[in-house]
Amino acid sequence: MRIHEIKDSVFYCGVNDRTTEKFENLWPLPYGVSYNSYIVKGSEKIALIDTVEAGNENLFFKGIRSIIGGRKIDYLVINHMEPDHSGGIPAILKEYPEIKIIGNRQTKIMLAGFYSVPDSCFIEIKDNETISLGDRNLRFIMTPMVHWPETMMTYVEEIKLLFSGDAFGCFGALNGGVTDTEMDTSWYTDEIYRYYSNIVGKYGKFVQSALNKISKSGIEIDYICSTHGPVWHERLKEVVGIYDRLSRYEGEDGVTIVYGSMYGNTKEIAELIADRLSERGVRIIKIHDSSKSDLSYMISDAFRYKGLIVGSPTYSMHLFPPVEEFMVSMETREIKNKSLAFFGSYTWSSVTTDKFKEYSQKMNMECVGCMEMKHSPNDEAYKNARELADKVYDAMKK
Ligand code: FEO
């Protein structure tokens, strides 16, 4: 087994999961996912940073032993308690019974709740405290709600390396390499957007707080080691920039159209809108049939692009169910700053305009256009669809 030394005294000991179909049993993993764990070998003491999901202990221990052999681990730092990172804690406690677990007050409560870990194993630290490993010092930075209340980051001062928890992570297993300097990471970019928007998207203001805190602290960062995906060195600034933009809900040029359609009439309006947007010069238009596209990808594109247009037929006096699910996911993630418009259709009685407007009010986001069509597209519907596309285009260009 190759030993991956990321930077003097910091090693990778995570695992790849290529079997699980859906992360959190919700979000598709076509390229797998990695559960990243790291070892910091100080001149006097050894620290393990986070663990891996339960069921991967065999490979996890092989990785650890390849790095430290039979030496004991002094500290286990828990940056995040979600079970994809904490699932290996019981096995670690069994193998290294004298290990001390480092975390904050919230970590302690969750450790007891999830794994019945006694307080005697635990060292509670506060924001900005440090622990010495000899020639390496670990500084702990509290970053609550990126993604859970206990989340924190750990900084290795001497080598300017940050263990960032879920922040700056992405879906996609590691295919041989670990650091972005040793492999092509271009294909991970879409998975950064999808990971952020699906998993962390609701917590934009907390991501902003964490970014501001790090920026104000003046610490320099050369390496970001997150809990999922590659270690960022070469692309560090770019990846931080993506998280910064997404957490401010700042979109790129482009429009996402999400629609539901039973018999093709509402779909025809979606196509007309896309056609007009293209005519106006919009080059990126992502169209999702909500019955076919996975919610994960619709959320990702909605976060990524400036324009968002959603269409639905009236279905049993509600929105079409997959469209409703999408709207709930937008409301849950408190999405903002979109050039937002809606279109709807009905046969004898309509609710789409009212339902969509309720969502735009709940999301506190202006709706720049809304149209409704009875039965099937006619000349008036064609005209309204073109006008709706124009309104979204004008709003995006403001
Ligand atoms: Fe990868 Fe929030 O856990």
Side-chain angles (χ1 to χ4, degrees):
M1 182 177 271
R2 181 156 70 108
I3 294 176
H4 291 273
E5 185 167 18
I6 293 160
K7 178 81 181 166
D8 315 330
S9 76
V10 174
F11 300 85
Y12 181 81
C13 59
V15 300
N16 286 311
D17 180 349
R18 301 182 196 276
T19 313
T20 301
E21 291 281 348
K22 290 187 172 183
F23 189 78
E24 294 181 345
N25 220 2
L26 281 170
W27 314 109
L29 293 171
Y31 315 110
V33 67
S34 67
Y35 308 119
N36 297 346
S37 173
Y38 306 90
I39 282 176
V40 186
K41 241 166 132 177
S43 57
E44 290 169 21
K45 293 190 170 169
I46 292 175
L48 177 66
I49 314 292
D50 291 309
T51 72
V52 298
E53 188 166 83
N56 296 282
E57 290 88 348
N58 188 21
L59 268 181
F60 183 41
F61 278 111
K62 277 188 186 170
I64 291 173
R65 288 193 192 105
S66 72
I67 299 161
I68 62 167
R71 283 184 66 183
K72 68 181 176 112
I73 302 174
D74 299 280
Y75 300 119
L76 166 58
V77 176
I78 300 292
N79 283 329
H80 186 19
M81 271 298 294
E82 193 167 1
D84 53 330
H85 311 296
S86 66
I89 291 175
I92 288 288
L93 282 173
K94 202 169 164 195
E95 187 70 18
Y96 303 100
E98 290 168 21
I99 200 168
K100 292 290 179 196
I101 301 184
I102 295 175
N104 55 55
R105 195 175 160 69
Q106 293 283 347
T107 321
K108 189 172 163 181
I109 296 166
M110 293 182 192
L111 271 172
F114 277 110
Y115 305 111
S116 306
V117 173
D119 289 357
S120 55
C121 297
F122 192 74
I123 300 175
E124 184 176 325
I125 46 87
K126 295 198 169 55
D127 190 31
N128 215 30
E129 280 187 2
T130 57
I131 278 190
S132 171
L133 306 177
D135 60 351
R136 296 282 175 266
N137 285 294
L138 305 181
R139 182 173 295 280
F140 306 107
I141 305 164
M142 299 303 125
T143 53
M145 301 313 300
V146 185
H147 150 229
W148 278 16
E150 86 301 356
T151 41
M152 60 183 210
M153 299 186 186
T154 300
Y155 181 62
V156 189
E157 300 185 318
E158 294 73 16
I159 51 175
K160 301 174 184 168
L161 181 148
L162 183 72
F163 298 108
S164 63
D166 280 349
F168 316 115
C170 63
F171 293 131
L174 297 170
N175 298 333
V178 171
T179 304
D180 62 0
T181 46
E182 60 179 334
M183 59 182 168
D184 169 32
T185 60
S186 55
W187 68 272
Y188 287 100
T189 305
D190 286 349
E191 295 297 88
I192 295 174
Y193 284 96
R194 199 163 65 86
Y195 180 81
Y196 175 86
S197 59
N198 289 190
I199 308 299
V200 192
K202 178 175 172 57
Y203 307 106
K205 63 180 175 224
F206 298 100
V207 174
Q208 277 295 305
S209 298
L211 288 170
N212 288 332
K213 186 173 184 178
I214 291 166
S215 154
K216 279 185 190 154
S217 73
I219 63 170
E220 289 176 41
I221 302 170
D222 274 351
Y223 289 83
I224 287 181
C225 302
S226 85
T227 45
H228 300 288
V231 167
W232 303 116
H233 177 58
E234 227 167 54
R235 296 184 65 195
L236 189 150
K237 277 198 179 128
E238 180 195 348
V239 173
V240 171
I242 293 173
Y243 264 71
D244 180 34
R245 282 198 305 281
L246 288 174
S247 58
R248 286 188 283 109
Y249 299 91
E250 186 184 303
E252 299 169 18
D253 282 337
V255 178
T256 304
I257 301 174
V258 172
Y259 71 89
S261 189
M262 287 174 279
Y263 301 107
N265 293 306
T266 317
K267 171 185 179 283
E268 196 174 331
I269 298 298
E271 302 283 7
L272 280 166
I273 291 169
D275 186 64
R276 177 60 177 165
L277 287 168
S278 172
E279 198 179 340
R280 296 294 306 268
V282 179
R283 293 176 65 85
I284 300 175
I285 302 167
K286 295 290 185 80
I287 304 182
H288 291 283
D289 178 337
S290 62
S291 298
K292 198 169 174 186
S293 286
D294 191 280
L295 180 65
S296 173
Y297 294 87
M298 297 193 282
I299 294 173
S300 186
D301 282 340
F303 265 77
R304 186 164 184 169
Y305 299 109
K306 282 181 188 166
L308 177 60
I309 306 176
V310 189
S312 173
T314 297
Y315 190 90
S316 300
M317 297 311 285
H318 285 278
L319 296 179
F320 192 58
V323 176
E324 182 92 56
E325 189 186 20
F326 172 73
M327 291 309 300
V328 169
S329 78
M330 294 292 95
E331 187 196 344
T332 304
R333 285 164 180 74
E334 299 170 20
I335 200 158
K336 302 176 186 47
N337 299 338
K338 300 291 159 192
S339 299
L340 179 69
F342 300 112
F343 58 101
S345 65
Y346 66 101
T347 300
W348 69 95
S349 181
S350 169
V351 295
T352 57
T353 298
D354 288 346
K355 294 277 181 195
F356 279 134
K357 286 196 170 162
E358 273 172 35
Y359 275 111
S360 76
Q361 278 162 8
K362 282 191 277 188
M363 294 190 293
N364 206 13
M365 200 163 33
E366 184 197 358
C367 162
V368 300
C370 194
M371 66 160 280
E372 214 168 42
M373 166 188 78
K374 189 171 184 180
H375 295 158
S376 65
N378 54 19
D379 286 348
E380 191 192 350
Y382 294 152
K383 179 174 154 287
N384 290 341
R386 288 171 66 82
E387 281 176 8
L388 186 136
D390 286 341
K391 283 176 185 165
V392 170
Y393 178 84
D394 292 343
M396 285 199 302
K397 293 296 163 192
K398 260 186 197 165

